[in-house]
């Protein structure tokens, strides 16, 4: 299945922190405030010791504020897909319409996948994370994740399969 050629991503959680997206992709993206109608951000905790992480679910009466990142390419999205664990069903990436820079625009967004939807609760706000927690993710957890990603890509390339 061919994916639409979209270079924008609506973010509402960890990816709103430029240090996180740069650690994952090696790039600093242009950002703009954006609104996504028909969706609401909830809290979710995969691990009671890890703290809450956000998920986004459809809600026809809601409008979610976030950021619109611009200038992404297929390689950036592949790494972000791995970070969001879309192959496991935790999240899924969909194309949506967001309002940013005084106009409606197409953008990708990561939504709660079928495995996470039943566990969404409460609210989540970026302010819940301290600068130390954000730095820990960027400096320790993401490098470990990228090592796993590179190992997976190397394995796929050796088998002759199409890489992400």
């Amino acid at each position: 299945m061919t994916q639409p050629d979209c270079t924008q991503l609506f973010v509402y959680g960890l990816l709103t922190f430029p240090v996180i997206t740069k650690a994952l992709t090696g790039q600093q993206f242009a950002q703009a405030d954006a609104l996504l109608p028909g969706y609401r951000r909830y809290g979710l905790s995969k691990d009671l010791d890890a703290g809450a992480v956000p998920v986004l679910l459809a809600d026809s009466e809601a409008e979610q504020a976030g950021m619109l990142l611009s200038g992404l390419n297929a390689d950036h999205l592949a790494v972000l897909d791995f970070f969001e664990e879309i192959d496991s069903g935790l999240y899924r990436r969909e194309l949506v319409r967001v309002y940013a820079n005084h106009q409606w625009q197409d953008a990708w967004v990561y939504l709660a996948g079928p495995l996470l939807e039943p566990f969404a609760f409460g609210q989540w706000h970026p302010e819940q994370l301290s600068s130390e927690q954000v730095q820990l993710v960027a400096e320790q957890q993401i490098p470990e994740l990228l090592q796993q990603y590179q190992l997976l890509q190397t394995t796929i390339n050796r088998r002759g399969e199409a890489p992400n």
Side-chain angles (χ1 to χ4, degrees):
M1 179 172 112
T2 303
Q3 300 249 344
D5 185 24
C6 181
T7 63
Q8 299 188 114
L9 178 67
F10 177 82
V11 294
Y12 56 88
L14 290 176
L15 297 178
T16 61
F17 296 99
V19 67
I20 299 288
T21 53
K22 187 170 184 179
L24 284 163
T25 65
Q27 298 290 313
Q28 192 86 29
F29 299 104
Q31 291 186 319
D33 291 331
L35 291 173
L36 176 59
Y39 292 88
R40 181 183 310 274
R41 178 178 56 204
Y42 293 89
L44 173 82
S45 181
K46 294 182 196 178
D47 175 343
L48 294 177
D49 294 326
V53 296
V55 295
L56 201 63
L57 295 174
D59 180 339
S60 62
E61 297 181 18
E63 183 175 70
Q64 183 58 55
M67 300 297 295
L68 183 64
L69 305 183
S70 299
L72 287 89
N73 63 33
D75 291 335
H76 300 139
L77 290 170
V79 170
L80 295 173
D81 287 352
F82 187 79
F83 176 72
E84 297 289 354
E85 300 184 55
I86 64 169
D87 287 343
S88 71
L90 293 180
Y91 289 86
R92 65 185 193 277
R93 180 165 46 99
E94 290 189 7
L95 198 60
V96 294
R97 298 281 289 166
V98 301
Y99 191 76
N101 298 318
H102 307 288
Q103 63 183 343
W104 289 100
Q105 302 179 50
D106 289 331
W108 293 110
V109 66
Y110 291 101
L111 303 173
L115 296 178
L116 292 183
E117 286 179 10
F119 302 102
F121 65 93
Q123 294 188 15
W124 187 94
H125 299 282
E127 300 82 30
Q128 289 176 243
L129 295 177
S130 70
S131 59
E132 292 81 16
Q133 289 171 309
V134 172
Q135 284 303 121
L136 176 72
V137 172
E139 294 174 1
Q140 292 182 15
Q141 294 174 350
I142 289 175
E144 292 172 9
L145 176 104
L146 291 176
Q147 286 179 343
Q148 295 171 8
Y149 179 74
Q150 291 302 323
L151 180 61
L152 176 65
Q153 294 305 304
T154 300
T155 302
I156 289 171
N157 289 337
R158 284 186 184 150
R159 291 183 181 164
E161 299 173 15
N164 285 337

